[in-house]
Amino acid sequence: MNDFQTPLLVGIDAGGSKMHIQIASALDGQVLADEVQPNTGWANLDDATRADTLLSVVQASTAAHGQPVVIVAGVHGNDSPEQESVLRAPLAAHYPIVRILNDSNLLILAYGKSTGTGVIAGTGSSATATIGDTALTVGGWGWVLGDEGGAVGIVRDAAKQVLDAYDKGEQDPLREDLLAHFGVDHPHGLTHAFSTIDPRIWSQAAHLVFEAAERGSARAQKIIDDHALALAELVALLQRRGGDVETVVCAGGVITGQPALFNAFTREVRRLLGASTETALLTDPPVRGALNLARHIHITSQSGTTRSDRPVADRISI
């Protein structure tokens, strides 16, 4: 069998700032390609454009390797069955089995479990829990309305804290750091910077909040505590709605790169839900969860037990 006949398994993690694609042979599981592409404009696209983008990425990435037989994509912004249907349609027109999840749904699968809760705090944020054989995603909503715990939301609130401190005549280590980063010499300049710079560029300043907190900034510490609580409240909300929160797996550049946020989040989860809930950081890339599920779907489809329209959260052994 030559390369162009090789059946392929495709896993995709389409986040707010990057898209990670892994391609494996369905014959022996060997990973044939592992690619990361910028995805900074994703939040500005409508669902139909996102769907066409996914199709183009799959076609371009798999052309040299074979023919996809199972595609699993975790997509930032896939928050409803209606969106899932739109995102899935172009791929389903070309390939036999396609599954579209929320990107936070990949975390538990990548962690090696089939059920639980995934929390993403990267450029943006969201949380997904399994409920029986389905999944529920809460939070996110973009930087204007939410995304607490994500880098854009953290920097947005840092600017608000700096402006509030200025109005009250207070000094805080966060002020000079943020002004220097955005190249302005007065807090008033932040309003222009934040109205003219792509919000995803803001995320590059998130580390300043954590550094300022280490130097004693009370306002920076408040931002960290508030965002940790907001993320924990997403998990508590999922529990109230019947989600499995026994294991909570976290991923995303902010929560994995800033121990202060993860530690504060863990503290709030235990306060709200009790000590029995495990919190963990994902060390493998989330895209591994997509490929794990694609492999499981392919194996079970050989016995005729899997269909492309099954619920989004399979119970699998990895």
Side-chain angles (χ1 to χ4, degrees), residues 11-282:
I12 301 172
D13 174 22
S17 59
K18 66 182 179 180
M19 186 177 299
H20 195 170
I21 306 101
Q22 286 189 347
I23 301 167
S25 167
L27 300 177
D28 58 13
Q30 179 183 358
V31 176
L32 304 175
D34 188 337
E35 307 171 4
V36 178
Q37 305 176 9
N39 206 32
T40 53
W42 190 254
N44 298 325
L45 303 178
D46 59 37
D47 290 329
T49 305
R50 290 176 180 177
D52 290 338
T53 300
L54 289 171
L55 176 60
S56 297
V57 166
V58 170
Q59 290 175 329
S61 299
T62 62
H65 301 289
Q67 180 68 15
V69 293
V70 181
I71 298 170
V72 174
V75 179
H76 182 68
N78 174 35
D79 301 317
S80 70
E82 293 78 15
Q83 289 175 299
E84 179 183 344
S85 177
V86 173
L87 292 166
R88 181 178 175 273
L91 287 168
H94 289 79
Y95 304 110
I97 300 177
V98 176
R99 188 73 56 81
I100 304 293
L101 317 174
N102 183 275
D103 55 343
S104 55
N105 204 180
L106 300 180
L107 307 189
I108 282 292
L109 301 173
Y111 191 64
K113 293 196 173 186
S114 62
T115 182
T117 295
V119 172
I120 286 183
T123 304
S125 67
S126 64
T128 297
T130 52
I131 303 178
D133 289 328
T134 63
L136 173 66
T137 298
V138 297
W141 308 121
W143 68 270
V144 175
L145 301 175
D147 274 1
E148 285 76 12
V152 177
I154 286 172
V155 178
R156 173 200 64 212
D157 287 358
K160 291 169 66 176
Q161 286 291 333
V162 167
L163 293 172
D164 184 64
Y166 172 75
D167 281 344
K168 293 177 179 176
E170 299 175 2
Q171 294 296 322
D172 190 281
L174 183 59
R175 169 178 167 165
E176 295 309 317
D177 291 348
L178 205 64
L179 296 185
H181 179 87
F182 286 98
V184 297
D185 57 9
H186 191 282
H188 289 169
L190 291 175
T191 60
H192 175 73
F194 276 62
S195 64
T196 57
I197 298 172
D198 187 310
R200 276 133 212 95
I201 304 300
W202 300 354
S203 65
Q204 299 171 10
H207 66 96
L208 298 177
V209 175
F210 298 91
E211 293 166 6
E214 290 178 357
R215 299 200 311 276
S217 167
R219 288 180 176 271
Q221 188 60 56
K222 174 176 171 50
I223 294 167
I224 295 168
D225 292 342
D226 287 351
H227 283 251
L229 174 59
L231 289 172
E233 287 175 339
L234 294 181
V235 180
L237 174 59
L238 288 168
Q239 181 192 49
R240 290 197 297 272
R241 296 186 63 180
D244 179 355
V245 297
E246 182 176 347
T247 301
V248 180
V249 180
C250 301
V254 179
I255 202 163
T256 60
Q258 300 292 346
L261 180 62
F262 177 71
N263 292 338
F265 168 74
T266 296
R267 180 183 67 243
E268 294 296 344
V269 166
R270 289 176 178 165
R271 183 176 66 83
L272 294 174
L273 302 180
S276 62
T277 295
E278 174 195 3
T279 58
L281 289 174
L282 184 64

